[in-house]
Amino acid sequence: MSQPGIPASGGASTGLQAQNGAASASGSPYTNGPVQNALMSSQVSVSQGYNSQLPGSYPHLIPAKTLNPVSGQSNSGGSQTVSPLSNYQRPGQAPYGPPVASHPVTPSLRSGPSPQMPLPTSQNPAATPMPSGSFLPGASVPSPSNWQYNYLSQTNHCPRASSQPTMTGNTNLMSPQYVSSGDSSLQNNFIKSGSALPLANPPLPTTFQPGAPLGPPPTGGPPPVRGLTPQKLTARTVPQPSFNSTSNQEATSQPTNKNPTMSRSVGYSYPSLPPGYQNTPPPSTTGTGIPLSSLNYPSGPQAFTQTPLGANHLTASMSGLSLHPEGLRVINLLQERNMLPSTPLQPPVPNLHEDIQKLNCNPELFRCTLTSIPQTQALLNKAKLPLGLLLHPFKDLVQLPVVTSSTIVRCRSCRTYINPFVSFLDQRRWKCNLCYRVNDVPEEFMYNPLTRVYGEPHRRPEVQNATIEFMAPSEYMLRPPQPPVYLFVFDVSHNAIETGYLNSVCQSLLDNLDLLPGNTRTKIGFITFDSTIHFYSLQEGLSQPQMLIVSDIEDVFIPMPENLLVNLNESKELVQDLLKTLPQMFTKTLETQSALGPALQAAFKLMSPTGGRMSVFQTQLPTLGVGALKPREEPSQRSSAKEIHLTPSTDFYKKLALDCSGQQVAVDLFLLSGQYSDLASLGCISRYSAGSVYYYPSYHHQHSPVQVQKLQKELQRYLTRKIGFEAVMRIRCTKGLSIHTFHGNFFVRSTDLLSLPNVNPDAGYAVQMSVEESLTDTQLVSFQSALLYTSSKGERRIRVHTLCLPVVSTLNEVFLGADVQAISGLLANMAVDRSVTASLSDARDALVNAVIDSLSAYRSSALSNQQSGLMVPFSLRLFPLFVLALLKQKSFQTGTNARLDERIFAMCQVKNQPLVYLMLTTHPSLYRVDNLSDEGAISINDRTIPQPPILQLSVEKLSRDGAFLMDAGSVLMLWVGRNCGQNFLSQVLGVENYALIPQTMTDLPELDTPESARTIAFISWLREQRPFYPILYVIRDESPMKANFLQNMVEDRTESALSYYEFLLHIQQQVNK
Ligand SMILES: [Zn+2]
């Protein structure tokens, strides 16, 4: 394997600089590069996260005075444990190497031989360019105005583009997506065109010919498998004459277990091969005594014929398109201004044979900006669209097949997990769909536990499900899976106590204590701080919690570490006592100082032996000790796009986050502050440790009841949702493609291994890619993400998602398959980076130019008929609208009085949210709800749910006699017009007249009226579709919240921003140049 060794020979020193390694630009030692380099040269294992604990430190003894939190372990801590590279398997080696011998592990915590964890490997590490700087504070990037998504430029847009196809040099400052166009004419801010008029020409069809083949005849790639006869052993049990059989419908009717919890029964799940399987007929489905329903695959098998993955995928390849003839339209946006569908926009369906597509990964989990992958980088460059993936890998799933098997089948060369898109050459050999290596089918895999038939490797769940979870054997561990550890760190300064937050949080914890994910090993602890740090001994047997105060914040030590993080079960009463008394303990405090940095250091020390989740509540700017910060916000510059502080003012929080990452600690920051708290600096603690940031501006228990409710709802989700510990994620793609930039909260440990001390089901990620080698010999490409984590029950698991997409050779096909939401989401991530590395105005220009460049490319290269107007392919009909919405989003807007912390928080959200919520935040859905009817309603579990059409975001669509609901993802806003009908007021809001609508109303009364039932059904339905609970604000005309509502009217003109039509005119003017 590769990721440790191979890059070392090539551009390791730079190639390994973390893309989120801000320090790489600022010269801090905490770059991946130097550290990794040191590791390389000394042949140290790179599985830092799993061997990074100090030798012998895994048990609960905490070397409080000896552990230096800034010990240079930073991203890895790997220098502490040396294991030979040969422990990591290379192609051709046995799948799992011998256990690493050099990790002292406590016997008491172990039950087997010393395990190791071979980390997933990169399929082509030498060719994998370094990740570029996602967060490069202070980096001086030449003022760019558009994105060069790729390495090679076909146009003179890109005067200084490197011609190197891979990034082997120090490219952090010259990350390839930030190549300036040099075309200053494109940098003009929107210029309203006075001359362009809507054009009369009707849209003409594109040059795309549905009948034309999608590409050259296949000359390589996985060949179709056909006519393969099954092993004779199967013949008696399943009518399965060949892999191409189409008579498998009965397979779908097999018993399925709908139990969403997918509980695992170890004994039966994936039994090893039945004794004597080679000589006797396999057990029949009824003969084993094991009911099928007790098996592990509740999702049930899908009818499977080994899909012809080769040439045949083309035969029906147009079927996807023929279903959507609209998709072939060319649209003049100046004529057809309302392209917003009245129902939620669906992601495009990849143009694949339906047999392949039906096995494909759910786009909610994994999608690509281009559902048709351009064959060459040149073609991608021509399209001027970004190529990347958007992932929601740990999403809560109703159904998830879980496999327990002693053999996890992976490609011996690139370590790809076997998946639905591999091809079986025969029963004994399968060909990897990422690197094309031919692998043997292990004996155990020949047995299908679902059908209990031997000789059906192609019907195994691993080959039937694009999303699957494996129970990882001990080879995937370097130490015993950690227990769930939860540490809460509370600001108890005067300011904090004033907000009253502690009461809410403690109450919420009390309410949810038994719902914390975990088992009998769960540990919990508490730290509070103001100018000093307070620990709480919760040792079993104490009559009440003991508070221990440490006033030396210069050199923090941990008193009685063994009693501070305690077993929740054993000390539950003490924990409850503490939570009940904590809010009262500091009510008289006069201490205004905040020693957040030292408190975080203490918390880190306490947790570093085990790892876990640290939840930090902070209400002000830290003022004491390390990590103290100074106000930097200048309100007079809030509305300007220049000179605002988006970069951290200190690297303390990032360094500490990297230390945390090395010890498997993630930090979630809850910032509840009415004043500037420098979230740009504080947020680093979560960003690099794979935590999350929550922000409640102006939280106050009396003055802002809505925030109180929001915190309570979000805490409930936060405390009880699924959590994965000590996780790593790797994304692989078919040979020829290469991943080069990662977005999200994590640390890039090696070229492409994301370190996620915690992973949560609400986190999203994005990556950028390029086409490194021509894909002309390839019909299909695949992408696979593998997330290895420890569950709260202490199981090591691997969640794998595989996405398969077609390769195309023409620009038209590339445009046809563009996924405008994914493109907009990826651009938003890139724009956050650009804001930080360059400036907000650069980021804004780049967003605009992304639209101009791609539509210009479409006009000049893909449109056969040059006509005036703003011609766009159907797939991109919402592109200008979404980019305009991004420009008006809190992250990137100008001309408003957005607080700096609020802007930074919005940027954090862009980076950390799954695409679906990012899009709702950016372009909310607007519905009229005062006249809901059952027409077109859907029915779910006997409930009738109205489906009002989605309206354009323009005040034109509002009227004072109506009520309008705006769904902005985490927030629902119900604006009630002044002349709203009496019926709605009384039957839904329960008030007699408009004046009686409460100033603060955050839920609807349940009235015994059909109107109330419909409205509540609709709002509940919206809420049920997301795992968190969006607060509903009822907004009167004179309410201060009305400004928030109107701010989302993306299509309207504001003082500082163009209307949608003006924006279109501007784009048209630039495109038609
Ligand atoms: Zn492979």
Side-chain angles (χ1 to χ4, degrees), residues 652-686:
F652 169 78
Y653 294 96
K654 180 183 175 187
K655 284 181 176 178
L656 188 57
L658 298 185
D659 287 342
C660 287
S661 178
Q663 301 296 331
Q664 304 298 346
V665 176
V667 184
D668 295 318
L669 175 66
F670 291 79
L671 183 63
L672 311 95
S673 173
Q675 291 160 0
Y676 174 72
S677 300
D678 196 353
L679 190 53
S681 300
L682 293 183
C684 293
I685 191 74
S686 300

mmCIF file of all heavy atoms in Angstrom, residues 652-686:
data_model
loop_
_atom_site.group_PDB
_atom_site.id
_atom_site.type_symbol
_atom_site.label_atom_id
_atom_site.label_comp_id
_atom_site.label_asym_id
_atom_site.label_seq_id
_atom_site.Cartn_x
_atom_site.Cartn_y
_atom_site.Cartn_z
ATOM 1 N N PHE A 652 -3.193 28.827 17.226
ATOM 2 C CA PHE A 652 -3.346 27.996 18.428
ATOM 3 C C PHE A 652 -4.467 26.965 18.266
ATOM 4 O O PHE A 652 -4.300 25.783 18.566
ATOM 5 C CB PHE A 652 -3.635 28.877 19.652
ATOM 6 C CG PHE A 652 -4.051 28.080 20.858
ATOM 7 C CD1 PHE A 652 -3.113 27.410 21.629
ATOM 8 C CD2 PHE A 652 -5.395 27.979 21.214
ATOM 9 C CE1 PHE A 652 -3.495 26.658 22.730
ATOM 10 C CE2 PHE A 652 -5.788 27.225 22.315
ATOM 11 C CZ PHE A 652 -4.838 26.565 23.075
ATOM 12 N N TYR A 653 -5.606 27.425 17.768
ATOM 13 C CA TYR A 653 -6.759 26.521 17.721
ATOM 14 C C TYR A 653 -6.576 25.447 16.661
ATOM 15 O O TYR A 653 -7.011 24.314 16.817
ATOM 16 C CB TYR A 653 -8.053 27.319 17.510
ATOM 17 C CG TYR A 653 -8.324 28.191 18.705
ATOM 18 C CD1 TYR A 653 -7.939 29.534 18.724
ATOM 19 C CD2 TYR A 653 -8.892 27.660 19.855
ATOM 20 C CE1 TYR A 653 -8.141 30.313 19.849
ATOM 21 C CE2 TYR A 653 -9.097 28.433 20.983
ATOM 22 C CZ TYR A 653 -8.721 29.753 20.979
ATOM 23 O OH TYR A 653 -8.909 30.520 22.105
ATOM 24 N N LYS A 654 -5.911 25.812 15.609
ATOM 25 C CA LYS A 654 -5.641 24.798 14.601
ATOM 26 C C LYS A 654 -4.638 23.771 15.114
ATOM 27 O O LYS A 654 -4.826 22.562 14.950
ATOM 28 C CB LYS A 654 -5.108 25.445 13.331
ATOM 29 C CG LYS A 654 -4.836 24.391 12.281
ATOM 30 C CD LYS A 654 -4.239 24.918 11.018
ATOM 31 C CE LYS A 654 -3.925 23.712 10.126
ATOM 32 N NZ LYS A 654 -3.195 24.067 8.939
ATOM 33 N N LYS A 655 -3.602 24.255 15.754
ATOM 34 C CA LYS A 655 -2.606 23.317 16.280
ATOM 35 C C LYS A 655 -3.229 22.355 17.276
ATOM 36 O O LYS A 655 -2.983 21.150 17.238
ATOM 37 C CB LYS A 655 -1.477 24.088 16.973
ATOM 38 C CG LYS A 655 -0.503 24.753 16.029
ATOM 39 C CD LYS A 655 0.572 25.466 16.850
ATOM 40 C CE LYS A 655 1.629 26.077 15.964
ATOM 41 N NZ LYS A 655 2.626 26.807 16.785
ATOM 42 N N LEU A 656 -4.016 22.917 18.154
ATOM 43 C CA LEU A 656 -4.643 22.063 19.154
ATOM 44 C C LEU A 656 -5.587 21.064 18.475
ATOM 45 O O LEU A 656 -5.669 19.891 18.863
ATOM 46 C CB LEU A 656 -5.403 22.916 20.175
ATOM 47 C CG LEU A 656 -5.950 22.170 21.387
ATOM 48 C CD1 LEU A 656 -4.847 21.436 22.134
ATOM 49 C CD2 LEU A 656 -6.665 23.127 22.330
ATOM 50 N N ALA A 657 -6.274 21.526 17.433
ATOM 51 C CA ALA A 657 -7.173 20.626 16.706
ATOM 52 C C ALA A 657 -6.384 19.475 16.083
ATOM 53 O O ALA A 657 -6.844 18.332 16.073
ATOM 54 C CB ALA A 657 -7.932 21.392 15.626
ATOM 55 N N LEU A 658 -5.200 19.770 15.580
ATOM 56 C CA LEU A 658 -4.402 18.709 14.975
ATOM 57 C C LEU A 658 -3.920 17.731 16.045
ATOM 58 O O LEU A 658 -3.864 16.527 15.810
ATOM 59 C CB LEU A 658 -3.219 19.311 14.209
ATOM 60 C CG LEU A 658 -3.611 20.222 13.043
ATOM 61 C CD1 LEU A 658 -2.376 20.676 12.278
ATOM 62 C CD2 LEU A 658 -4.579 19.533 12.102
ATOM 63 N N ASP A 659 -3.574 18.267 17.204
ATOM 64 C CA ASP A 659 -3.237 17.379 18.318
ATOM 65 C C ASP A 659 -4.436 16.483 18.645
ATOM 66 O O ASP A 659 -4.298 15.284 18.865
ATOM 67 C CB ASP A 659 -2.849 18.189 19.562
ATOM 68 C CG ASP A 659 -1.475 18.832 19.412
ATOM 69 O OD1 ASP A 659 -0.714 18.387 18.531
ATOM 70 O OD2 ASP A 659 -1.172 19.777 20.165
ATOM 71 N N CYS A 660 -5.600 17.120 18.716
ATOM 72 C CA CYS A 660 -6.816 16.364 19.004
ATOM 73 C C CYS A 660 -7.022 15.284 17.953
ATOM 74 O O CYS A 660 -7.312 14.128 18.267
ATOM 75 C CB CYS A 660 -8.034 17.291 19.026
ATOM 76 S SG CYS A 660 -8.110 18.341 20.485
ATOM 77 N N SER A 661 -6.867 15.660 16.696
ATOM 78 C CA SER A 661 -7.064 14.707 15.615
ATOM 79 C C SER A 661 -6.136 13.509 15.784
ATOM 80 O O SER A 661 -6.541 12.358 15.612
ATOM 81 C CB SER A 661 -6.826 15.401 14.274
ATOM 82 O OG SER A 661 -6.973 14.502 13.210
ATOM 83 N N GLY A 662 -4.895 13.792 16.159
ATOM 84 C CA GLY A 662 -3.937 12.710 16.343
ATOM 85 C C GLY A 662 -4.319 11.761 17.463
ATOM 86 O O GLY A 662 -3.929 10.598 17.466
ATOM 87 N N GLN A 663 -5.101 12.261 18.417
ATOM 88 C CA GLN A 663 -5.516 11.424 19.547
ATOM 89 C C GLN A 663 -6.988 11.031 19.434
ATOM 90 O O GLN A 663 -7.599 10.640 20.429
ATOM 91 C CB GLN A 663 -5.273 12.167 20.875
ATOM 92 C CG GLN A 663 -3.817 12.552 21.104
ATOM 93 C CD GLN A 663 -2.909 11.339 21.225
ATOM 94 O OE1 GLN A 663 -3.332 10.284 21.649
ATOM 95 N NE2 GLN A 663 -1.650 11.483 20.837
ATOM 96 N N GLN A 664 -7.546 11.168 18.256
ATOM 97 C CA GLN A 664 -8.931 10.740 18.016
ATOM 98 C C GLN A 664 -9.950 11.524 18.834
ATOM 99 O O GLN A 664 -10.958 10.986 19.282
ATOM 100 C CB GLN A 664 -9.098 9.233 18.275
ATOM 101 C CG GLN A 664 -8.162 8.376 17.475
ATOM 102 C CD GLN A 664 -8.368 8.522 15.983
ATOM 103 O OE1 GLN A 664 -9.366 9.064 15.539
ATOM 104 N NE2 GLN A 664 -7.397 8.084 15.196
ATOM 105 N N VAL A 665 -9.678 12.788 19.028
ATOM 106 C CA VAL A 665 -10.618 13.658 19.728
ATOM 107 C C VAL A 665 -11.187 14.656 18.724
ATOM 108 O O VAL A 665 -10.428 15.322 18.016
ATOM 109 C CB VAL A 665 -9.925 14.429 20.865
ATOM 110 C CG1 VAL A 665 -10.896 15.416 21.520
ATOM 111 C CG2 VAL A 665 -9.346 13.476 21.900
ATOM 112 N N ALA A 666 -12.494 14.757 18.662
ATOM 113 C CA ALA A 666 -13.127 15.790 17.843
ATOM 114 C C ALA A 666 -13.755 16.824 18.767
ATOM 115 O O ALA A 666 -14.252 16.482 19.841
ATOM 116 C CB ALA A 666 -14.195 15.185 16.936
ATOM 117 N N VAL A 667 -13.709 18.078 18.350
ATOM 118 C CA VAL A 667 -14.222 19.155 19.191
ATOM 119 C C VAL A 667 -15.398 19.823 18.487
ATOM 120 O O VAL A 667 -15.264 20.328 17.372
ATOM 121 C CB VAL A 667 -13.129 20.210 19.458
ATOM 122 C CG1 VAL A 667 -13.656 21.261 20.426
ATOM 123 C CG2 VAL A 667 -11.864 19.556 20.007
ATOM 124 N N ASP A 668 -16.540 19.809 19.135
ATOM 125 C CA ASP A 668 -17.696 20.545 18.625
ATOM 126 C C ASP A 668 -17.817 21.834 19.421
ATOM 127 O O ASP A 668 -17.768 21.833 20.649
ATOM 128 C CB ASP A 668 -18.969 19.711 18.792
ATOM 129 C CG ASP A 668 -18.936 18.448 17.937
ATOM 130 O OD1 ASP A 668 -18.488 18.538 16.776
ATOM 131 O OD2 ASP A 668 -19.340 17.393 18.431
ATOM 132 N N LEU A 669 -17.963 22.923 18.701
ATOM 133 C CA LEU A 669 -18.016 24.234 19.351
ATOM 134 C C LEU A 669 -19.426 24.799 19.283
ATOM 135 O O LEU A 669 -19.991 24.939 18.200
ATOM 136 C CB LEU A 669 -17.043 25.190 18.653
ATOM 137 C CG LEU A 669 -17.078 26.646 19.138
ATOM 138 C CD1 LEU A 669 -16.594 26.757 20.577
ATOM 139 C CD2 LEU A 669 -16.223 27.532 18.224
ATOM 140 N N PHE A 670 -19.976 25.091 20.438
ATOM 141 C CA PHE A 670 -21.253 25.800 20.512
ATOM 142 C C PHE A 670 -20.931 27.230 20.929
ATOM 143 O O PHE A 670 -20.540 27.468 22.068
ATOM 144 C CB PHE A 670 -22.179 25.141 21.536
ATOM 145 C CG PHE A 670 -22.670 23.786 21.119
ATOM 146 C CD1 PHE A 670 -21.865 22.666 21.234
ATOM 147 C CD2 PHE A 670 -23.955 23.624 20.614
ATOM 148 C CE1 PHE A 670 -22.320 21.410 20.842
ATOM 149 C CE2 PHE A 670 -24.426 22.377 20.222
ATOM 150 C CZ PHE A 670 -23.609 21.274 20.338
ATOM 151 N N LEU A 671 -21.097 28.141 20.012
ATOM 152 C CA LEU A 671 -20.810 29.535 20.309
ATOM 153 C C LEU A 671 -22.126 30.265 20.526
ATOM 154 O O LEU A 671 -22.970 30.323 19.632
ATOM 155 C CB LEU A 671 -20.010 30.154 19.153
ATOM 156 C CG LEU A 671 -19.567 31.597 19.358
ATOM 157 C CD1 LEU A 671 -18.620 31.730 20.545
ATOM 158 C CD2 LEU A 671 -18.887 32.128 18.095
ATOM 159 N N LEU A 672 -22.292 30.797 21.745
ATOM 160 C CA LEU A 672 -23.519 31.520 22.078
ATOM 161 C C LEU A 672 -23.088 32.907 22.494
ATOM 162 O O LEU A 672 -22.777 33.144 23.662
ATOM 163 C CB LEU A 672 -24.267 30.848 23.234
ATOM 164 C CG LEU A 672 -24.498 29.335 23.148
ATOM 165 C CD1 LEU A 672 -23.449 28.546 23.874
ATOM 166 C CD2 LEU A 672 -25.886 28.991 23.668
ATOM 167 N N SER A 673 -23.050 33.797 21.538
ATOM 168 C CA SER A 673 -22.483 35.081 21.879
ATOM 169 C C SER A 673 -23.128 36.194 21.087
ATOM 170 O O SER A 673 -23.341 36.081 19.891
ATOM 171 C CB SER A 673 -20.974 35.066 21.579
ATOM 172 O OG SER A 673 -20.451 36.352 21.752
ATOM 173 N N GLY A 674 -23.431 37.257 21.795
ATOM 174 C CA GLY A 674 -23.984 38.415 21.129
ATOM 175 C C GLY A 674 -22.909 39.330 20.580
ATOM 176 O O GLY A 674 -23.184 40.234 19.806
ATOM 177 N N GLN A 675 -21.690 39.098 21.025
ATOM 178 C CA GLN A 675 -20.595 39.963 20.584
ATOM 179 C C GLN A 675 -19.638 39.196 19.706
ATOM 180 O O GLN A 675 -19.631 37.973 19.695
ATOM 181 C CB GLN A 675 -19.841 40.496 21.800
ATOM 182 C CG GLN A 675 -20.662 41.469 22.596
ATOM 183 C CD GLN A 675 -20.154 41.611 24.002
ATOM 184 O OE1 GLN A 675 -19.178 40.965 24.379
ATOM 185 N NE2 GLN A 675 -20.820 42.445 24.772
ATOM 186 N N TYR A 676 -18.823 39.962 19.035
ATOM 187 C CA TYR A 676 -17.821 39.351 18.173
ATOM 188 C C TYR A 676 -16.945 38.400 18.973
ATOM 189 O O TYR A 676 -16.393 38.761 20.017
ATOM 190 C CB TYR A 676 -16.960 40.440 17.541
ATOM 191 C CG TYR A 676 -15.798 39.906 16.731
ATOM 192 C CD1 TYR A 676 -16.034 39.284 15.502
ATOM 193 C CD2 TYR A 676 -14.492 40.014 17.184
ATOM 194 C CE1 TYR A 676 -14.992 38.788 14.757
ATOM 195 C CE2 TYR A 676 -13.436 39.521 16.435
ATOM 196 C CZ TYR A 676 -13.696 38.897 15.229
ATOM 197 O OH TYR A 676 -12.654 38.413 14.495
ATOM 198 N N SER A 677 -16.822 37.177 18.521
ATOM 199 C CA SER A 677 -16.026 36.193 19.247
ATOM 200 C C SER A 677 -14.945 35.559 18.390
ATOM 201 O O SER A 677 -14.375 34.553 18.776
ATOM 202 C CB SER A 677 -16.930 35.095 19.808
ATOM 203 O OG SER A 677 -17.879 35.655 20.678
ATOM 204 N N ASP A 678 -14.703 36.129 17.248
ATOM 205 C CA ASP A 678 -13.651 35.660 16.350
ATOM 206 C C ASP A 678 -13.828 34.185 16.005
ATOM 207 O O ASP A 678 -12.954 33.351 16.246
ATOM 208 C CB ASP A 678 -12.262 35.902 16.960
ATOM 209 C CG ASP A 678 -11.165 35.798 15.894
ATOM 210 O OD1 ASP A 678 -11.479 35.421 14.743
ATOM 211 O OD2 ASP A 678 -9.998 36.102 16.219
ATOM 212 N N LEU A 679 -14.951 33.898 15.417
ATOM 213 C CA LEU A 679 -15.221 32.528 15.005
ATOM 214 C C LEU A 679 -14.209 32.051 13.956
ATOM 215 O O LEU A 679 -13.952 30.852 13.832
ATOM 216 C CB LEU A 679 -16.650 32.422 14.456
ATOM 217 C CG LEU A 679 -17.205 31.034 14.189
ATOM 218 C CD1 LEU A 679 -17.088 30.134 15.400
ATOM 219 C CD2 LEU A 679 -18.659 31.114 13.733
ATOM 220 N N ALA A 680 -13.637 33.006 13.228
ATOM 221 C CA ALA A 680 -12.631 32.607 12.233
ATOM 222 C C ALA A 680 -11.471 31.891 12.908
ATOM 223 O O ALA A 680 -10.884 30.968 12.349
ATOM 224 C CB ALA A 680 -12.132 33.830 11.470
ATOM 225 N N SER A 681 -11.114 32.332 14.113
ATOM 226 C CA SER A 681 -10.049 31.658 14.853
ATOM 227 C C SER A 681 -10.582 30.459 15.633
ATOM 228 O O SER A 681 -10.034 29.361 15.546
ATOM 229 C CB SER A 681 -9.385 32.635 15.828
ATOM 230 O OG SER A 681 -8.828 33.731 15.135
ATOM 231 N N LEU A 682 -11.655 30.683 16.383
ATOM 232 C CA LEU A 682 -12.183 29.605 17.231
ATOM 233 C C LEU A 682 -12.631 28.401 16.412
ATOM 234 O O LEU A 682 -12.474 27.252 16.828
ATOM 235 C CB LEU A 682 -13.377 30.121 18.054
ATOM 236 C CG LEU A 682 -13.109 31.172 19.112
ATOM 237 C CD1 LEU A 682 -14.401 31.486 19.867
ATOM 238 C CD2 LEU A 682 -12.044 30.688 20.084
ATOM 239 N N GLY A 683 -13.197 28.679 15.235
ATOM 240 C CA GLY A 683 -13.765 27.591 14.437
ATOM 241 C C GLY A 683 -12.735 26.558 14.019
ATOM 242 O O GLY A 683 -13.089 25.411 13.721
ATOM 243 N N CYS A 684 -11.464 26.952 14.001
ATOM 244 C CA CYS A 684 -10.425 25.997 13.592
ATOM 245 C C CYS A 684 -10.395 24.775 14.496
ATOM 246 O O CYS A 684 -10.015 23.686 14.069
ATOM 247 C CB CYS A 684 -9.054 26.677 13.610
ATOM 248 S SG CYS A 684 -8.880 27.947 12.369
ATOM 249 N N ILE A 685 -10.773 24.959 15.734
ATOM 250 C CA ILE A 685 -10.716 23.839 16.677
ATOM 251 C C ILE A 685 -11.640 22.720 16.203
ATOM 252 O O ILE A 685 -11.359 21.535 16.394
ATOM 253 C CB ILE A 685 -11.080 24.294 18.118
ATOM 254 C CG1 ILE A 685 -10.755 23.210 19.129
ATOM 255 C CG2 ILE A 685 -12.532 24.678 18.246
ATOM 256 C CD1 ILE A 685 -9.315 23.031 19.424
ATOM 257 N N SER A 686 -12.745 23.079 15.575
ATOM 258 C CA SER A 686 -13.662 22.053 15.070
ATOM 259 C C SER A 686 -13.306 21.618 13.654
ATOM 260 O O SER A 686 -13.402 20.442 13.317
ATOM 261 C CB SER A 686 -15.094 22.586 15.073
ATOM 262 O OG SER A 686 -15.491 22.928 16.374
#
